[in-house]
Amino acid sequence: QVQLVESGGGLVQPGGSLKLSCAASGSIRSIGAMGWYRQAPEKQRESVATITSGGSATYADSVKGRFTVSRDNAKNTVYLQMNSLKPEDTAVYYCNAAIRRAFVFEDYWGQGTQVTVSS
């Protein structure tokens, strides 16, 4: 089986920084796109950042210029560096990965990690 394990969430003051990590493990042939999503209370889950297997990244307008997504294919890990954090960034952050175990790619999700931005 495949698991995605997230780490790095926590409480930070406005203007601070956090770095999230998400590592995939298990029987993996290859990993396609990976991404980060977040869900605030009473809100829909939204895409924050995605990155292809080749390293091409896209960002939500709300985080562009502040967040950086990266990946280490040798470690099956995706990262989200979050700088200049705002209270509006408070949410549960989930990582996602398209993983091929045998013939087709399937989506896998991490357990979520809480990010709280508050003074």
Side-chain angles (χ1 to χ4, degrees):
Q1 294 297 315
V2 173
Q3 299 85 36
L4 299 181
V5 179
E6 303 177 30
S7 63
L11 190 153
V12 64
Q13 294 184 4
S17 298
L18 286 174
K19 187 174 184 178
L20 307 183
S21 300
C22 176
S25 63
S27 181
I28 299 170
R29 289 200 174 275
S30 63
I31 302 178
M34 306 181 81
W36 291 94
Y37 298 74
R38 68 187 182 188
Q39 187 166 21
E42 309 296 329
K43 301 292 180 62
Q44 295 288 103
R45 186 173 299 187
E46 64 176 349
S47 175
V48 176
T50 59
I51 185 167
T52 68
S53 61
S56 179
T58 59
Y59 300 92
D61 288 341
S62 59
V63 308
K64 196 170 300 182
R66 300 187 297 119
F67 291 10
T68 302
V69 64
S70 61
R71 64 191 287 168
D72 186 335
N73 290 334
K75 297 180 179 179
N76 292 336
T77 300
V78 62
Y79 306 93
L80 185 67
Q81 177 67 53
M82 304 183 293
N83 299 324
S84 301
L85 282 161
K86 305 174 180 179
E88 306 94 275
D89 297 317
T90 296
V92 177
Y93 285 69
Y94 300 88
C95 69
N96 169 269
I99 297 176
R100 185 172 75 88
R101 297 180 63 209
F103 301 103
V104 300
F105 285 95
E106 297 181 340
D107 275 354
Y108 290 84
W109 291 88
Q111 79 281 5
T113 184
Q114 177 71 48
V115 172
T116 301
V117 184
S118 176
S119 60

